[in-house]
């Protein structure tokens, strides 16, 4: 019998409907996403790319609440490793997203480091390894962001290790955690991205449990991943090859991850994300229904 995962609040996100951009003709309309995520049995959602869902708080609140949905987090991208010159443009983006997130009564802001390789064109934008100076900019910048987001908007930032960013592998994730203040910065552990980059989610939860503030549930197809790694394929084209797959077909096994998270004894969001950009409009809902059923079988 599955362990009762009573500290885990399961949700989904626009990402699982193939949504990566505020506006794109290949994506389903936002109304359809909201209708279908509710139909699939989820009660929590993320905002996705700013501008995909309505940005007027009153309208968004109405659209979400009449479908019995609630918002768990907003998301931003930032390149704070580039130094203090990045702060103003970062804060301009953060303030828009954080204000809407706060207005939706959510408590988290998911922060994704900027990509070193373009996820559409595969162009190398920056070296994949940071210098010591850039690591200092990154960690101090994230601490400042955590402090100011908390003071201004009452939100906790959770930094999301992500493929083709500078916080990706086990070595980079541990270096980042060891260099930052747990009172200001914690982690959004994305199980798929961490596996994609060679990490062990259960080990990370057991080792750095006090730093796990949020979860994204995702799996990778090990065979496709092996080809992606061998041929140094960028993340965007890898997704188009199906590297992120429907649970429980891939790795890591989500039952042990959820059990390890439950043992932390804190309330955690576990938001399902299956990167599928671009995808056929009728593809996401059946997958979402099956994934919700699978997670119930794990006890969530």
């Amino acid at each position: 019998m599955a362990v009762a995962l009573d500290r885990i609040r399961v949700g989904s996100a626009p990402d699982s409907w193939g949504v990566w951009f505020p506006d794109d003709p290949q994506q389903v309309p936002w109304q359809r996403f909201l209708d279908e995520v509710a139909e699939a049995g989820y009660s929590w959602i993320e905002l996705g790319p700013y501008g995909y869902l309505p940005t007027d708080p009153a309208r968004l609140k109405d659209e979400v609440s009449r479908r019995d949905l609630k918002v768990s987090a907003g998301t931003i991208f930032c390149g704070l490793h580039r130094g203090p010159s990045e702060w103003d443009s970062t804060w301009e983006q953060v303030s828009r997203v954080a204000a809407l997130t706060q207005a939706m009564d959510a408590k988290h802001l998911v922060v994704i480091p900027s990509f070193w390789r373009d996820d559409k064109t595969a162009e190398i934008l920056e070296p994949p390894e940071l210098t010591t100076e850039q690591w200092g900019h990154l960690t101090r910048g994230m601490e400042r962001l955590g402090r100011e987001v908390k003071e201004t908007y009452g939100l906790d930032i959770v930094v999301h290790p992500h493929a083709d960013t500078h916080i990706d592998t086990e070595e980079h994730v541990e270096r980042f955690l060891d260099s930052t203040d747990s009172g200001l910065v914690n982690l959004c552990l994305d199980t798929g991205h961490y596996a994609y980059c060679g990490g062990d989610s259960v080990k990370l939860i057991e080792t750095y449990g006090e730093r796990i503030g949020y979860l994204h549930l995702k799996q990778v197809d090990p065979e496709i991943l092996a080809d992606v790694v061998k041929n140094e394929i960028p993340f965007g084209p890898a997704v188009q090859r199906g590297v992120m797959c429907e649970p429980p077909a891939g790795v890591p096994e989500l039952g042990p991850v959820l059990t390890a998270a439950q043992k932390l004894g804190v309330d955690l969001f576990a938001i399902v994300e299956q990167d599928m950009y671009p995808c056929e409009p009728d593809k996401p809902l059946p997958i979402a229904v099956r994934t919700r059923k699978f997670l119930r079988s794990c006890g969530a």
Side-chain angles (χ1 to χ4, degrees), residues 76 87 90-91 94-95 97-99 101-102 107-111 141-158 184:
I76 64 119
W87 180 261
T90 298
W91 189 252
V94 166
S95 56
V97 177
T101 304
Q102 179 191 43
K107 301 297 180 194
H108 294 89
L109 187 67
V110 177
V111 179
M142 287 293 192
E143 287 180 335
R144 180 183 178 188
L145 188 65
R147 184 182 299 110
E148 300 208 13
V149 165
K150 186 72 171 176
E151 288 175 357
T152 310
Y153 298 102
L155 307 177
D156 292 324
I157 72 164
V158 282
L184 299 171

Side-chain angles (χ1 to χ4, degrees), residues 56-175:
D56 173 64
R59 185 180 183 201
L60 183 57
K61 208 162 222 178
D62 176 61
E63 295 285 356
V64 166
S65 63
R66 64 191 179 83
R67 293 172 173 88
D68 293 322
L69 296 169
K70 292 169 284 195
V71 174
S72 61
T75 303
I76 64 119
F77 288 82
C78 66
L80 294 173
H81 67 282
R82 298 186 195 113
S85 61
E86 284 286 306
W87 180 261
D88 288 349
S89 60
T90 298
W91 189 252
E92 186 183 353
Q93 179 203 174
V94 166
S95 56
R96 286 195 303 269
V97 177
L100 184 60
T101 304
Q102 179 191 43
M104 299 307 294
D105 300 319
K107 301 297 180 194
H108 294 89
L109 187 67
V110 177
V111 179
I112 301 177
S114 57
F115 286 46
W116 56 260
R117 175 164 60 182
D118 189 285
D119 62 335
K120 272 193 167 180
T121 68
E123 179 192 356
I124 303 292
L125 306 171
E126 296 180 77
E129 288 288 338
L130 296 178
T131 65
T132 301
E133 182 183 31
Q134 288 173 320
W135 269 108
H137 289 322
L138 176 65
T139 54
R140 288 191 299 272
M142 287 293 192
E143 287 180 335
R144 180 183 178 188
L145 188 65
R147 184 182 299 110
E148 300 208 13
V149 165
K150 186 72 171 176
E151 288 175 357
T152 310
Y153 298 102
L155 307 177
D156 292 324
I157 72 164
V158 282
V159 176
H160 182 323
H162 196 292
D164 288 359
T165 77
H166 295 108
I167 307 177
D168 51 1
T169 61
E170 179 179 321
E171 179 190 359
H172 287 163
V173 170
E174 291 187 355
R175 180 172 180 174

Side-chain angles (χ1 to χ4, degrees), residues 40 186 215 217 263 292 294 296:
N186 284 306
L215 295 172
L217 301 181
K263 286 177 182 173
R292 187 71 194 93
F294 165 68
R296 284 198 182 97

Side-chain angles (χ1 to χ4, degrees), residues 190-206:
D190 184 304
T191 61
H193 278 279
Y194 202 51
Y196 185 104
C197 299
D200 180 332
S201 288
V202 171
K203 179 185 168 190
L204 187 67
I205 293 168
E206 290 176 345

